[in-house]
Amino acid sequence: MTGEQIYNEVKHIENKWGKGKRTNNNASENQEDTRGRGGKIQKQKRNTTEEEGSSSQVNGQNGVYWKKFNIWYRKLKYWRHNPVPHCIDFMHVEKNVAESIVGTLLHVPGKTKDGLNARLDLAELGVKPELFAMQDEDKTTLPPAGYTLTNAEKDIFCETLHNIKVPEGYCSNFSSLVNLKDRKLIGLKSHDYHMLMQEFLPIAIRSIMHPPTRYAIIRFCFFFKSICSKEIILKKLDKMQAELVVTLCLLEKFFPPSIFIIMIHLTVHLTREGCIAEETITEETIAFFSEYHKSMETIGIPPGKHENYENEEGKPLSAGKSSEVSAELFQKAHLYVIQNTDEIVPYIERHKQVLKTENPGKRIAFLENEHSKSFAKWLREEVERELAIDKESVSETVRWISYGPRATVVKYDAYNINGYTFRTKCHDGKVYQNSGVSVEAIDLHISKEVATTRQAYYYGVLQEIWVLDYRFRQIPLFKCDWVNHKSGGVKRDKLGYTLVDLNNLGHKVDPFVLGSQALQVFYVKNPVDKKLSIVFKTPPKNYKDTYDEVDEEFSTVIHHRNDNVLPLVDQRDLANESRDDYYRKDCGENIVVNLDSSSDNNNSDSYSTSQISTSEEIDYDSPEPPKSLLKWYHYLSDEYKDNGRFWGSKSGCNESDVKPSWKDIKKA
């Protein structure tokens, strides 16, 4: 219903507040309020019966079931015209969905949506006969479904999460949230489930599980990551919705009906009605009051760890140590600073033209090599010549950069810049990983005297943090071990993940990068191939919006966009007849259910014996049912009481509330 339709139905309702005699819009109640001792209201039942449906009449209108006139419709005149008059809590939905999926995968008691009752529901519905519960002497076993994990696979799942090391402030320490002994997750909060669903769950199941089921779960995770991105193209929302519908159909195929709680169904509304703006509104409110009370000191709130700086120098987080470095490394560091200073770009082009004039007929590779060797010296001489002619013709930046830094290099172990906290590899620690570095660069490729450029990302590990003193400013540089792009050190899989081999190093001639250029990443071991690591990008903790000067700090990790690729869906699953791949044939471990325990989490009261096979000889003439079939006896007894005519027609029993004997059940 639209907001206008709802308003037309509720606008005549008069809200009644407080105690006393209550009426439901001129409709009679079955109870009336009378004053007792002390002015208390006592309820007395009326002897008269009211006509059915009278409570649903409002001003003579039938079929209206509204009881209150919402304050938003009464006070806000525009509320009825809103396309979406409500908002779904995205984080709440995501947390419940992730908890249900993970609890079912690990078969955690009290969390799993799979169990005996869920399998009996399948038997009652007559679907997925391969997954029906089986009775064998004194135990009941559940055949492995597509989502069933063996103990070895559960160990891989938990160990993968346990070994994840993230940068400081990225999320919780997952090693403290994983119980390796009991094979389950403990103490996760909403933000932990947020990171698990969008980042780590696809990695944890990457090398395990039944492939069709695995791809269905990964598609679900990628949907949450896409809808939670900072940048969403409106034209892609319809496609995102269509992909979600396919994903939910796949989940319905592989998972039991009991997993489809209301939170699963709410995901279909997230593309249009789901909103992560709640946190944005909170941030804007806090920012407003922070600016309003800017001169006041906060009490009990620690200052922000990450700060934005006007310059590109950042802030060291450890004590500096002056060091003497080799002349070769020193010149490489100075050359990198020169070539990455915007005001030096005209001098670079001029020097290349000079080399081309002095060396006619030489190849481009030769000229580039000569430029790297002689540019620093040529720049200093050129700037000195210009200063001798006119001191105002050269900027201060060009003057000091061309002169060169001090001979002493100051080294640090930790540095804060660009909203990231970087630490060298040897100071990472056992919990966090702050040494991952990535840089976006322009590659120059020379082939047959044709120079081409392309944009590329380089990945490495931070080894040393240098600060060069150019007198007018200090410039931080990161010395890293870079992964070799040319010999297969960097790959991209079919899901869109970037895989790197941290042992395949290259680019040793150019190990430096400016601290202002560095982006932080962290690496997670690939469960499929231990030699490779999966790259995860870290969003900065602080940033400045281009349209606002207010600094904002988000507590929730939200990526700029989702670069992952949805797994393909088999065309047979999109047709009328799909594959029977909802159960596992490669899993030799069945789930054993104790009929006397209450470990089954499904609260359904539906049982079925049509597909339960048993090797025990049942004595139907015995006064008490066998212990192994106690639950099925309760089911049949309840069916008899609820539908006596059925049992009466089948077995000749009288329609009464007396439980049938085993002999009556046998006749039926």
Side-chain angles (χ1 to χ4, degrees), residues 530-546:
K530 298 294 185 180
K531 295 181 180 179
L532 301 178
S533 299
I534 304 174
V535 179
F536 285 90
K537 296 181 180 179
T538 306
K541 293 294 292 184
N542 277 19
Y543 66 93
K544 283 189 175 181
D545 288 329
T546 56

Side-chain angles (χ1 to χ4, degrees), residues 39 58 203 247 256 290 370 424 471 484 519:
V58 179
I203 306 303
T247 301
S290 299
E370 287 297 320
T424 58
R471 296 168 180 82
N484 193 353
L519 304 175

Side-chain angles (χ1 to χ4, degrees), residues 143-158:
Y147 50 83
T148 304
L149 300 181
T150 64
N151 289 335
E153 290 175 335
K154 291 180 182 179
D155 291 336
I156 295 176
F157 181 95
C158 294

Side-chain angles (χ1 to χ4, degrees), residues 398-418:
V398 175
R399 183 186 309 174
W400 289 112
I401 292 294
S402 63
Y403 188 78
R406 299 181 187 272
T408 303
V409 176
V410 181
K411 296 183 179 181
Y412 295 94
D413 298 327
Y415 213 85
N416 183 14
I417 192 170
N418 297 335

